[in-house]
Structures are given as C-alpha cells and as structure tokens.
Amino acid sequence: MYSKFLNLDSEKQDRIVNAAMKEFAQKGYDLASTNQIVKEAGISKGLLFHYFKNKKQLYLFLFDYCYSMIVGEFYHKVDLSEKDFFKRTSEAIMIKMELMTSYPDLFKFMEEALLEESLEVKAELEKKRKEFIDINMEKFFEGIDYTKFRDDVNLPIMLKIITFTFEKLSDETLFKAKLAPGHEINYEEVRLEAEEYLKVLKRSFYK
Amino acid sequence: MYSKFLNLDSEKQDRIVNAAMKEFAQKGYDLASTNQIVKEAGISKGLLFHYFKNKKQLYLFLFDYCYSMIVGEFYHKVDLSEKDFFKRTSEAIMIKMELMTSYPDLFKFMEEALLEESLEVKAELEKKRKEFIDINMEKFFEGIDYTKFRDDVNLPIMLKIITFTFEKLSDETLFKAKLAPGHEINYEEVRLEAEEYLKVLKRSFYK
Amino acid sequence: MYSKFLNLDSEKQDRIVNAAMKEFAQKGYDLASTNQIVKEAGISKGLLFHYFKNKKQLYLFLFDYCYSMIVGEFYHKVDLSEKDFFKRTSEAIMIKMELMTSYPDLFKFMEEALLEESLEVKAELEKKRKEFIDINMEKFFEGIDYTKFRDDVNLPIMLKIITFTFEKLSDETLFKAKLAPGHEINYEEVRLEAEEYLKVLKRSFYK
Amino acid sequence: MYSKFLNLDSEKQDRIVNAAMKEFAQKGYDLASTNQIVKEAGISKGLLFHYFKNKKQLYLFLFDYCYSMIVGEFYHKVDLSEKDFFKRTSEAIMIKMELMTSYPDLFKFMEEALLEESLEVKAELEKKRKEFIDINMEKFFEGIDYTKFRDDVNLPIMLKIITFTFEKLSDETLFKAKLAPGHEINYEEVRLEAEEYLKVLKRSFYK
DNA sequence: TATGAATGAGCTTTCATTCAT
DNA sequence: TATGAATGAAAGCTCATTCAT
C-alpha cells in the first residue's frame, strides 16, 4: 500500500512524516494544507501524491505510523508484572508524560486525530480508534489484582474514577508546562503530587 | 462592541443568531460558511460584516451570548441553600439536562465551542473557558458543608477528584455524541450514569 | 437561473460571453480553462463563479445563448415562401455562410458543442441537440413542393443527398477561406459554384 | 524515426500499441493519460518516452500505423478490375465493414482520430487526412468506366456529389455511434443504408 | 535498454471580506 | 441601514516530461 514511500531513504521519509504530522496536528484534517506540507518537507507537489494517492491516505498512514510508534514504546517501558492498579496507572501516566516530552509532535497529532471530526476520514478513523482502545484497555488491565478493592461499591466505576483522575492530572501538568517559559516538566514534583492523589484514592477505594 | 447588532429588532437578531449557531455547531469554526449563514438568516453578505467585523467576532459574540443565557438560566434554577455537596451536584446535573432539552441548539453550539480546535479562535476561547470554569467553581462550591467528608484524607484532593470525574464524564459524553451518527445525547442515560458515580464517590468520600 | 448574470450591464456580459465562447470553441469543454476565460474577460476568478455556479452551468448557458442567436437570425432571413427545395437549400446555405462570417466565434462554439464528447456535459447536450435538430428540420422542410421530384427513386434519400452536397460545399468554402490570407469569402464565386451543383441535382432529381 | 520502437520484439510492440490505441480511442488525445498507457502496457514511464519523444509523436505514430494497416488490407482485398463505379463503391463499403469487424480497436482509434479536435495534433492530422483522401481518391477512381454516366450534366460534379454523399454518410454514422451509449456501430444496417443511396445515385446519374 | 522518483504548472472551486451604491 | 458585485488567495490533485541510475 505505502510500499513506494517506505522504500525511500529514511531521512526523506522523516522529513515528510514530520512535516505532515505538524501540519495536521496544528490545523486538523480539513484545514491542513498539502501545499504547506510539501513546502516544509522540501519536496515537490507531485511527489507527495506519488507516494500517497491523496490527502486521506496520507492522513491514515500517519495515524497508523504514530499508533505503532506510541504503542511500541509504551509497552516496551511499562511493567506489566505490577499487579497493583494504582501503581500501574501511576507508572503509565509517568511513561506517557515522558513519551509526550520525547515525541511531542507525534502525540499532538495523535490527540488531534482522536478528536478529528472531518467527514472525510471519520469513518476510517472510528474503526481504528475502536481497535486502539479495545486492544489497549485489555492489555493494560491484564493481571490486575482486583481483590484489594472494597466490595460495597461498583468496581468498574472506581477504576474509571482512578483513570479519570490521573488523566486529568497529566493534562493539567502538560498544560502548565505549556504555559511555563522553558516548557520544562519537573518530574519529581509531578510524582509527589501523584502520590498525594494515590494516597487518597487508595484509602477510599481499597478495603 | 456589538451595540449595532443589539439595537436590531429582536426577530432579526434571532434569525441571525440561530443561523450562525446552527452553521458553527454543524461544521465547526473553520468550515462554517458565512455564505450559508447569511442565506439561512435571509440577510445580505455585507450586513453580517456590518454588525460583526469578521467571522471571528461573530463566533466570539455567539459564545458570550450562549454563555450568558446558560449561566443566567442555571443559577436562576439551582438551589444554593442545599449544603450537601453530592445533592447539589446531582441537582445541577438535572438542571443542565433540562436546559439542554429546552435550548438544544444553544447547547449544541456550546458543546462544539468547548471542543473547538481552530487556531483562529483557540486562544480567546481558552481564556473564556478558564473564566467560565473559575467563576462557576467558586460560585458552585459556595456554602457547601464540608464536615460530612471523611477526615483521614486530604479534602481539596477529594474535591479535585470529584471535579475531575464529572469533567471527564462530561467530556466522554460529548465525545461519544460526536462519534455517534446523529450526534444525539440520551440525557436520561447520562443522568443514570452520573448517579452511579455519585453513589460511589459518596460512599468512598463521606464519613 | 442565470438572473444574476443577465442583470449585468451588457458590455460586461458580452466580454464574458465572448471570452468563454472563444475558449470553449478552441479547446473543447474539458480543456477549456476558466482561468483563461476570466483573464480574457478581464474579471476576477471569483466573479465568474458568482454568476455561474460552475463550469458546466456556464457551458450550458452559452449553448442556449448561441442557439437562440443563430436560430433567431436564421429564420429572420430565410424566405419560407420559396417552395422549391433546391432554391431554399441554396439560399439557406448562403445565409448560413453570411452568419458564420458575421458571428464566427458563435458558430465555431456551436459546431464544437455539437461534437462535444465530455462526459460531464454529454447527457445535457444530447437532449438539447435532439431538440435543436427536430425543431429545425421540421421548420425548414415546411411547405416544400415535393411533387417536382422524380417518382422512381426514394425521395428522403434524394433530399439527404442534396443537403449533404450543399453542406459539404459550404464546408469546403469555409475551409478554403480559412487557408486564404485575408480569410475573405468571394460570395459571388460561391454562388456560381452552387448554381453548377444545383443544375446537376435538378436535372437528375427533378422529373 | 520510430526505428527504436520497431526493433522491439513484436509482443511488446503490440502491448504498447494496443494500450495506446485503447486509451486514445476512449478518451481522445488531450484526456488520454500516458500514465494509463504505461500501466496497461506494463512498461515504465521512462520507456514510453524513450521510444516516442512525447505524447504527440506517439499519437501520430499510431495514426500512421493504423493507416498503413487499413490501406494495405483494403487494397489487398478490393478488386480494381471492376470498372463500374457503383459496383466498386459498393464492394469498397463491404470491405471496409469487414475490416472494421476484424480490427475493431484499430478502426475505433482511426474514427476518433478523424474527428480529433485537439489543437495539439489538429494541424498534423489535417495534413495526413488530406493525403489520405487524395492518394486514395486517385487510386480508387483508377480505371473507372465513365461512359456509363449521363452526358447532359457535368461529370466531375456528379462524382463530387457521390463522394460528398458517402463522406457525409460515413460522418453521420460515426457521429451517431459517438452519441449512442455503447458507441456501437451496426454494420449490416450501415451497408443496407449505403445500398439505398447507391440505388438512388445510379438511377439518377447513369444514362 | 529500462526504471520510476521527481518536477511544478495547471486545473476548478470556495472563501472571508470590501466597497460603491 | 442594507445590498450583492467583486476580489484573489488558497485548496487538493493530475499531468507530460526529465533524468540519474
């Protein structure tokens, strides 16, 4: 499918992928300009369409590309032998934040892609999103020891609340980093804050 | 700022506001067409730009307009003498749902606006969103009886977790609605789900 | 349908019509460039699409416009009280040649339109062509005195042969004129040549 | 000129010729895509332009190629010892129809080429058409017995009328075929129609 | 001989916005 | 206050042709 593109020397591949990710992440599917992409990548108009038959195929290729990168890196780092839900979640959030710092464009693109509304790609994306979520949910929750949770309330809802909490916390951290001058994240501080939340959630949700 | 527009007879104001809300809600900021808005409102191209100097001003006006409507109606209905946090939250959710049923276009527009990513308006919207949340948080938490919460964990963190939970829940609802074919929200289902969360949080966080 | 365009001052209308006719006649539907048309007409890109919603509508408008002009002028000049088929045909060919000399672009466009193959306009044109031919055949043959023709051969075929002959003669004349330096037609010479053909056909096909 | 191409093994030559004929016949000169031709022929882009320096040369080569094929086959079959003009004409029509049935793509291409209007090739084609007609006229009229024609009218004009008639008839046939959905010519019907014309012309123009 | 990556001008159409009336 | 004609930049994509390998 994308064999022509994948046979390119990887330096040019990177230039194209990065230019496209940046443009799509910034403007969304519909408003992203293939003109801008080729200018940024330093290639000709025709060449982009030689590799990807149209804007849509380019976008969907990028989605798959980013997805593989993220998932690969993530599961390479996460410790699935940790059975405690709080600890695993907390660790996952930290890893996610590290990855976002290492590959900011890639994550930016992925986040926007998950919100993308354009009719042109909505149907295809939806399928991919579903797969993404199903596969990763299952994988992430694998081996968790649920017996530690209190029995008098709904377990799935507790799990959701915990997930929500750490996601919001991560959002807040990244948002603050964005506003700060050097965009620097103080990971130690973040870890300490997360510990506070962990303590509250554990005392409230564990037996 | 918008005095010229506000001096119009209200029937024409309504036609314009409704046409614009509908177009922006359906297509998002960037893809919304001022052509379509004037056609739907039955006014001339020039007139729209006479009242609002450009597309952006029109959009931001609509945001403020909807915001005022919603907040005004909301605090008119909510009972701030209710001291129990969970009861007040539960009631607030009910009121929000009533309003969504009464003013569907207005909420539709507002929901899209809160997810709007267009660079052109993102910065201004972000400021407005923040204000919106800060002002309402403070107001909403006024007079709450915090003595009912358990003493062995950090209170502000519990409140944050609760807030995070309902924000995420609301995001999820909007997101699901966006993905669903008709973009329809089943309010009763939402209310029931919220009650489940409330129950878990109450049992876990109250003494 | 084309009311916006028809309300323009006629000088601008003419500029647009002439530019479009020229471009379509020269290059055919598919290859005609709206860029070229607006440049030649001295108007902006957007304006053309303000008057005609797309290239196709512009083309079909031109077809109707040319058709009306040609048919109107033709029947204004042709003498339908002449009952002799040879004389009427001969006269008609002369009138056609005069008109072609007066309105060369219009005829050029019409000829090309009748051969136009582009899928985009083929269906609509076909309907118009059929109407055009049916209406004009009937009108042109009206009142002819067929009793003068010999009875031992097929009449419709004789009529066709006569029509073919004068059409080819006219084609040859116009083609020669095109090749000649001043593009001038010597009508007297043409008339004399036509008379020679008339003589042969009359002696062979009349009783 | 095309020596490089003609030295190719004939299987590849055929693949290229057939692919090109098909594409040009289907879409006309301007819209035919060299991309499509190389894909269909299974050769690379560069190779096509190695053999034929550009699209135009390829087209004109095809015209000559088809012309030679057709003319060669035609005079191989036609009986030039038949002195009667109408019999020879009638036989020629039969042979043409046989050839059209044996080499449908070749004729399809040729028919389209004779109607081709593209500016890019029009001039060259026009010259070739003229040559084609002149050469064949002379050859075709060779040895005809003109004593059978009536003496009371101008012989060259009669011959012209006959030629005009069959040319127009052929044009009409091609034109109708072009308009018809499947572009199919019913050869038997054409032959019958031609016989009718022959009958009329014979009775009118012979003594 | 053969490849296919690379070019960039060209295509139609839409857009927010201006301005003379 | 109200009109809508007018603008021209920008969009995604295709094209014949070239050229280093």
Side-chain angles (χ1 to χ4, degrees), chain C residues 77-118:
Chain C
K77 298 205 170 186
V78 83
D79 173 13
L80 290 175
S81 69
E82 172 59 66
K83 302 299 180 208
D84 185 89
F85 182 69
F86 292 108
K87 286 188 186 148
R88 195 189 286 178
T89 302
S90 170
E91 190 204 357
I93 297 291
M94 291 299 290
I95 291 170
K96 190 184 163 195
M97 276 175 16
E98 277 171 42
L99 291 177
M100 283 173 117
T101 314
S102 312
Y103 307 103
D105 290 338
L106 210 140
F107 264 84
K108 185 83 174 34
F109 171 80
M110 209 62 184
E111 278 168 17
E112 300 295 336
L114 291 171
L115 291 171
E116 183 59 58
E117 285 220 87
S118 169

Coordinates of all heavy atoms in Angstrom, one line a residue, chain C residues 77-118:
Chain C
K77 N -34.0 35.7 -41.7 CA -33.5 36.0 -43.0 C -34.1 35.0 -44.1 O -34.2 35.4 -45.2 CB -32.0 35.9 -43.0 CG -31.4 37.0 -42.1 CD -29.9 37.3 -42.6 CE -29.4 38.5 -41.8 NZ -28.1 39.0 -42.2
V78 N -34.3 33.8 -43.7 CA -34.7 32.8 -44.7 C -36.1 33.0 -45.2 O -37.0 33.5 -44.5 CB -34.5 31.4 -44.1 CG1 -35.7 30.9 -43.4 CG2 -34.2 30.4 -45.3
D79 N -36.3 32.8 -46.5 CA -37.6 33.0 -47.1 C -38.4 31.7 -47.2 O -38.2 30.9 -48.1 CB -37.4 33.6 -48.5 CG -38.7 33.7 -49.3 OD1 -39.8 33.6 -48.6 OD2 -38.7 33.9 -50.5
L80 N -39.3 31.5 -46.3 CA -40.1 30.2 -46.2 C -41.2 30.2 -47.2 O -41.9 29.2 -47.3 CB -40.6 30.0 -44.8 CG -39.5 29.7 -43.8 CD1 -40.1 29.5 -42.4 CD2 -38.8 28.4 -44.1
S81 N -41.4 31.3 -48.0 CA -42.4 31.2 -49.0 C -41.9 30.6 -50.3 O -42.6 30.2 -51.2 CB -43.0 32.6 -49.3 OG -42.0 33.3 -49.9
E82 N -40.6 30.4 -50.4 CA -39.9 29.7 -51.5 C -40.2 28.2 -51.4 O -39.8 27.6 -50.5 CB -38.4 30.0 -51.5 CG -37.6 29.2 -52.6 CD -38.1 29.5 -54.0 OE1 -38.0 30.7 -54.4 OE2 -38.7 28.6 -54.6
K83 N -41.0 27.7 -52.4 CA -41.4 26.3 -52.3 C -40.4 25.3 -52.9 O -40.4 24.1 -52.6 CB -42.7 26.1 -53.0 CG -43.9 27.0 -52.4 CD -44.2 26.7 -51.0 CE -45.3 27.6 -50.5 NZ -45.2 27.8 -49.0
D84 N -39.5 25.8 -53.7 CA -38.6 24.9 -54.4 C -37.4 24.5 -53.5 O -36.7 25.4 -53.0 CB -38.0 25.7 -55.7 CG -37.1 24.7 -56.5 OD1 -37.7 24.0 -57.4 OD2 -35.9 24.7 -56.2
F85 N -37.3 23.2 -53.3 CA -36.3 22.7 -52.3 C -34.9 23.2 -52.7 O -34.1 23.6 -51.8 CB -36.4 21.2 -52.3 CG -35.4 20.6 -51.3 CD1 -35.7 20.8 -49.9 CD2 -34.3 19.9 -51.7 CE1 -34.8 20.3 -49.0 CE2 -33.4 19.4 -50.7 CZ -33.7 19.6 -49.4
F86 N -34.5 23.1 -53.9 CA -33.1 23.5 -54.3 C -32.9 25.0 -54.0 O -31.8 25.3 -53.5 CB -32.9 23.2 -55.8 CG -32.9 21.8 -56.1 CD1 -34.0 21.2 -56.8 CD2 -31.8 21.0 -55.7 CE1 -34.0 19.9 -57.1 CE2 -31.8 19.6 -56.0 CZ -32.9 19.1 -56.7
K87 N -33.9 25.8 -54.3 CA -33.7 27.2 -54.1 C -33.6 27.5 -52.6 O -32.7 28.3 -52.2 CB -34.8 28.0 -54.8 CG -34.6 28.0 -56.3 CD -35.6 29.0 -57.0 CE -35.5 28.9 -58.5 NZ -36.8 29.1 -59.1
R88 N -34.5 26.9 -51.9 CA -34.5 27.2 -50.4 C -33.2 26.7 -49.8 O -32.6 27.4 -49.0 CB -35.7 26.5 -49.7 CG -35.8 27.2 -48.3 CD -36.9 26.5 -47.5 NE -38.2 26.7 -47.9 CZ -39.3 26.2 -47.3 NH1 -39.1 25.4 -46.2 NH2 -40.5 26.5 -47.7
T89 N -32.7 25.5 -50.2 CA -31.5 25.0 -49.6 C -30.3 25.9 -50.0 O -29.5 26.2 -49.1 CB -31.2 23.6 -50.2 OG1 -32.3 22.7 -49.8 CG2 -29.9 23.0 -49.6
S90 N -30.3 26.2 -51.2 CA -29.2 27.1 -51.7 C -29.2 28.4 -50.9 O -28.1 28.9 -50.5 CB -29.4 27.3 -53.2 OG -28.5 28.3 -53.6
E91 N -30.3 29.0 -50.8 CA -30.4 30.3 -50.0 C -30.0 30.1 -48.6 O -29.3 30.9 -48.0 CB -31.9 30.8 -50.1 CG -32.0 32.2 -49.6 CD -33.4 32.5 -49.0 OE1 -34.3 31.6 -49.1 OE2 -33.6 33.6 -48.5
A92 N -30.5 29.0 -48.0 CA -30.1 28.7 -46.6 C -28.6 28.6 -46.4 O -28.1 29.1 -45.4 CB -30.8 27.4 -46.1
I93 N -28.0 27.9 -47.3 CA -26.5 27.8 -47.2 C -25.8 29.1 -47.3 O -24.9 29.4 -46.5 CB -26.0 26.9 -48.3 CG1 -26.6 25.4 -48.2 CG2 -24.5 26.8 -48.3 CD1 -26.1 24.7 -47.0
M94 N -26.3 30.0 -48.2 CA -25.8 31.3 -48.3 C -25.9 32.1 -47.0 O -25.0 32.8 -46.5 CB -26.4 32.1 -49.5 CG -26.1 31.5 -50.9 SD -24.3 31.6 -51.3 CE -24.1 33.4 -51.4
I95 N -27.1 32.0 -46.5 CA -27.4 32.7 -45.2 C -26.5 32.2 -44.1 O -25.9 33.0 -43.3 CB -28.9 32.6 -44.8 CG1 -29.8 33.4 -45.8 CG2 -29.1 33.1 -43.4 CD1 -31.2 33.1 -45.6
K96 N -26.4 30.9 -44.0 CA -25.5 30.3 -43.0 C -24.1 30.8 -43.1 O -23.4 31.2 -42.2 CB -25.5 28.8 -43.1 CG -24.8 28.1 -42.0 CD -24.8 26.6 -42.2 CE -23.7 25.9 -41.3 NZ -23.4 24.5 -41.7
M97 N -23.6 30.9 -44.4 CA -22.3 31.4 -44.6 C -22.1 32.9 -44.2 O -21.1 33.2 -43.6 CB -21.8 31.2 -46.0 CG -21.3 29.7 -46.2 SD -20.9 29.3 -47.9 CE -20.8 30.9 -48.7
E98 N -23.1 33.6 -44.5 CA -23.1 35.0 -44.1 C -23.0 35.1 -42.5 O -22.2 35.9 -42.0 CB -24.4 35.8 -44.5 CG -24.3 36.3 -46.0 CD -25.7 36.8 -46.4 OE1 -26.4 37.5 -45.5 OE2 -26.1 36.5 -47.5
L99 N -23.9 34.4 -41.9 CA -23.9 34.4 -40.4 C -22.6 34.0 -39.8 O -22.1 34.5 -38.9 CB -25.0 33.5 -39.9 CG -26.5 34.0 -40.1 CD1 -27.5 33.0 -39.6 CD2 -26.7 35.4 -39.5
M100 N -22.0 32.9 -40.5 CA -20.7 32.4 -40.0 C -19.7 33.5 -40.1 O -18.7 33.5 -39.3 CB -20.3 31.2 -40.8 CG -21.1 30.0 -40.3 SD -20.7 28.6 -41.4 CE -19.9 27.5 -40.3
T101 N -19.8 34.3 -41.1 CA -18.8 35.4 -41.3 C -19.1 36.5 -40.3 O -18.1 37.1 -39.8 CB -18.9 35.9 -42.8 OG1 -19.0 34.8 -43.7 CG2 -17.7 36.8 -43.1
S102 N -20.4 36.8 -40.0 CA -20.7 37.8 -39.1 C -20.4 37.4 -37.6 O -20.0 38.2 -36.8 CB -22.2 38.2 -39.2 OG -22.5 38.4 -40.5
Y103 N -20.7 36.2 -37.3 CA -20.6 35.7 -35.9 C -19.7 34.5 -35.9 O -20.1 33.4 -35.5 CB -21.9 35.3 -35.3 CG -23.0 36.4 -35.4 CD1 -24.0 36.3 -36.3 CD2 -23.0 37.5 -34.5 CE1 -25.0 37.3 -36.4 CE2 -23.9 38.4 -34.6 CZ -24.9 38.3 -35.5 OH -25.9 39.3 -35.6
P104 N -18.4 34.6 -36.2 CA -17.6 33.4 -36.4 C -17.4 32.6 -35.1 O -17.5 31.4 -35.1 CB -16.2 34.0 -36.9 CG -16.3 35.4 -36.5 CD -17.7 35.8 -36.5
D105 N -17.2 33.4 -34.0 CA -17.0 32.7 -32.7 C -18.2 31.9 -32.3 O -18.1 30.7 -31.8 CB -16.6 33.7 -31.6 CG -15.3 34.3 -31.8 OD1 -14.5 33.6 -32.6 OD2 -15.0 35.4 -31.3
L106 N -19.4 32.5 -32.4 CA -20.6 31.9 -32.1 C -20.8 30.6 -32.8 O -21.2 29.5 -32.2 CB -21.7 32.9 -32.4 CG -23.0 32.9 -31.6 CD1 -23.5 34.3 -31.4 CD2 -24.0 32.1 -32.4
F107 N -20.5 30.6 -34.1 CA -20.7 29.4 -34.9 C -19.6 28.3 -34.6 O -19.9 27.1 -34.5 CB -20.6 29.7 -36.4 CG -22.0 29.9 -37.0 CD1 -22.6 31.1 -36.9 CD2 -22.6 28.8 -37.6 CE1 -23.9 31.2 -37.4 CE2 -23.9 29.0 -38.1 CZ -24.5 30.2 -38.0
K108 N -18.4 28.8 -34.4 CA -17.4 27.9 -34.0 C -17.7 27.2 -32.7 O -17.6 26.0 -32.6 CB -16.1 28.7 -33.8 CG -14.8 27.9 -33.5 CD -14.2 27.5 -34.8 CE -12.9 26.8 -34.6 NZ -12.7 26.0 -33.3
F109 N -18.2 28.0 -31.7 CA -18.6 27.3 -30.5 C -19.7 26.3 -30.7 O -19.6 25.2 -30.2 CB -19.1 28.4 -29.5 CG -19.7 27.8 -28.3 CD1 -18.9 27.4 -27.2 CD2 -21.1 27.7 -28.1 CE1 -19.5 26.8 -26.1 CE2 -21.7 27.2 -27.0 CZ -20.9 26.7 -26.0
M110 N -20.7 26.7 -31.5 CA -21.8 25.8 -31.7 C -21.4 24.5 -32.4 O -21.9 23.4 -32.0 CB -22.8 26.5 -32.6 CG -24.3 26.1 -32.3 SD -24.8 26.5 -30.6 CE -26.4 25.7 -30.6
E111 N -20.5 24.6 -33.4 CA -20.1 23.4 -34.1 C -19.3 22.5 -33.2 O -19.6 21.3 -33.2 CB -19.1 23.8 -35.2 CG -19.9 24.3 -36.5 CD -18.9 24.9 -37.5 OE1 -17.7 24.8 -37.3 OE2 -19.4 25.6 -38.4
E112 N -18.5 23.1 -32.4 CA -17.7 22.2 -31.4 C -18.7 21.6 -30.4 O -18.5 20.5 -30.0 CB -16.7 23.1 -30.7 CG -15.6 23.7 -31.6 CD -14.8 22.7 -32.3 OE1 -14.6 21.6 -31.9 OE2 -14.3 23.1 -33.4
A113 N -19.6 22.4 -30.0 CA -20.6 21.9 -29.0 C -21.3 20.7 -29.5 O -21.6 19.8 -28.7 CB -21.6 23.0 -28.6
L114 N -21.7 20.7 -30.8 CA -22.4 19.6 -31.3 C -21.6 18.3 -31.4 O -22.1 17.2 -31.5 CB -23.0 20.0 -32.7 CG -24.1 21.0 -32.6 CD1 -24.4 21.5 -34.0 CD2 -25.3 20.5 -31.9
L115 N -20.3 18.5 -31.3 CA -19.4 17.3 -31.3 C -18.8 17.0 -29.9 O -18.1 16.0 -29.8 CB -18.2 17.6 -32.3 CG -18.4 17.7 -33.8 CD1 -17.2 18.2 -34.5 CD2 -18.9 16.3 -34.3
E116 N -19.1 17.9 -29.0 CA -18.6 17.7 -27.7 C -18.8 16.3 -27.1 O -19.9 15.9 -27.1 CB -19.1 18.8 -26.7 CG -18.5 18.8 -25.4 CD -17.0 19.0 -25.4 OE1 -16.6 20.0 -25.9 OE2 -16.3 18.1 -24.9
E117 N -17.7 15.8 -26.5 CA -17.9 14.4 -26.0 C -17.7 14.3 -24.5 O -18.0 13.2 -24.0 CB -16.7 13.6 -26.6 CG -16.9 13.2 -28.0 CD -16.4 11.8 -28.2 OE1 -17.3 10.9 -28.0 OE2 -15.2 11.6 -28.5
S118 N -17.3 15.4 -23.9 CA -17.0 15.3 -22.5 C -18.2 14.7 -21.7 O -19.3 15.2 -21.8 CB -16.7 16.7 -21.9 OG -16.7 16.6 -20.5

